[in-house]
Amino acid sequence: MSADATTPARAAPRSQAEAERAFHDDDPTARGTDWSLLGRLWPFVRPYGLALTVSLVLMPVASELLVTQPRLLRTIVDEGIGRGDLGLVHRTAALLGALMVAEFVVRFVQQYLLQLVGQRAMTDLRLHVYRFLQRQRMAFFDRQPIGRLVTRATNDIDVLGELFASGAVTAVGDLVTLARIVVAMLVFS
């Protein structure tokens, strides 16, 4: 796959001045809400939509595997140990162990896919910024503070990478798990 195939198609700026303003806007939130800013990242994430979808689908699966474990512990204690049925204790403990391994595998695959999407999208974004800088004339670099250019090209993209690594998507997964735990507690009680 060529580098051009991973770069999202965007409309070319009308002028050099417009390109500079777009690249160096000090307050990008003034142009829209957080959702619209996240929407501007979508062209970089879209090529990896399948992996992102699988990762998002695995979140509730992992939550369900986690919430099922206390039920099995209740079965072990109440029915297995309470009745003295060691066969039930062994079978349920084996099932509990299998569920723990399955939860680990599902969470690993989910996090791996999420990180993969994040890293590849940030690579595409870095390539896009690099190509933008390469197309600029020398006068552009004379007018722009070098520190700002370096920050835009490195630190700002790293911050966006953190969004995938430990940010919003992981928080959504934690909220799904929390909601499922609350529901399970209400059902058990």
Side-chain angles (χ1 to χ4, degrees):
M1 177 182 271
S2 71
D4 291 335
T6 61
T7 303
R10 294 197 180 211
R14 290 180 220 133
S15 68
Q16 181 71 19
E18 185 179 310
E20 289 179 26
R21 276 193 306 277
F23 188 74
H24 297 291
D25 188 4
D26 278 338
D27 189 12
T29 58
R31 286 180 290 161
T33 63
D34 290 341
W35 290 109
S36 68
L37 291 173
L38 284 175
R40 292 174 62 193
L41 285 176
W42 181 245
F44 300 100
V45 176
R46 185 179 329 154
Y48 314 107
L50 178 63
L52 181 63
T53 302
V54 171
S55 178
L56 294 175
V57 166
L58 289 177
M59 280 183 190
V61 173
S63 296
E64 190 60 37
L65 290 170
L66 176 70
V67 171
T68 303
Q69 294 171 20
R71 290 184 209 159
L72 293 177
L73 284 173
R74 183 179 74 176
T75 301
I76 289 172
V77 172
D78 291 348
E79 296 174 22
I81 295 174
R83 295 182 190 161
D85 187 356
L86 290 180
L88 179 64
V89 170
H90 292 304
R91 287 189 306 274
T92 309
L95 182 59
L96 179 62
L99 276 179
M100 289 177 163
V101 169
E103 180 198 0
F104 172 78
V105 169
V106 168
R107 286 197 190 275
F108 174 81
V109 170
Q110 187 265 327
Q111 284 294 319
Y112 179 82
L113 290 173
L114 188 61
Q115 294 295 322
L116 183 72
V117 168
Q119 292 303 315
R120 288 189 176 170
M122 292 307 101
T123 299
D124 292 348
L125 181 59
R126 285 180 200 277
L127 285 170
H128 181 76
V129 169
Y130 177 76
R131 288 186 188 115
F132 171 83
L133 291 172
Q134 290 295 311
R135 287 189 307 265
Q136 303 308 307
R137 298 197 168 135
M138 292 306 283
F140 171 83
F141 296 102
D142 290 339
R143 290 188 302 270
Q144 301 302 324
I146 297 301
R148 177 181 268 176
L149 293 174
V150 170
T151 297
R152 296 281 188 210
T154 58
N155 295 346
D156 290 356
I157 295 175
D158 286 339
V159 169
L160 289 174
E162 285 297 315
L163 175 74
F164 290 99
S166 61
V169 179
T170 305
V172 168
D174 292 343
L175 285 175
V176 168
T177 301
L178 179 63
R180 186 61 187 100
I181 288 171
V182 168
V183 168
M185 288 172 61
L186 292 172
V187 168
F188 285 149
S189 182

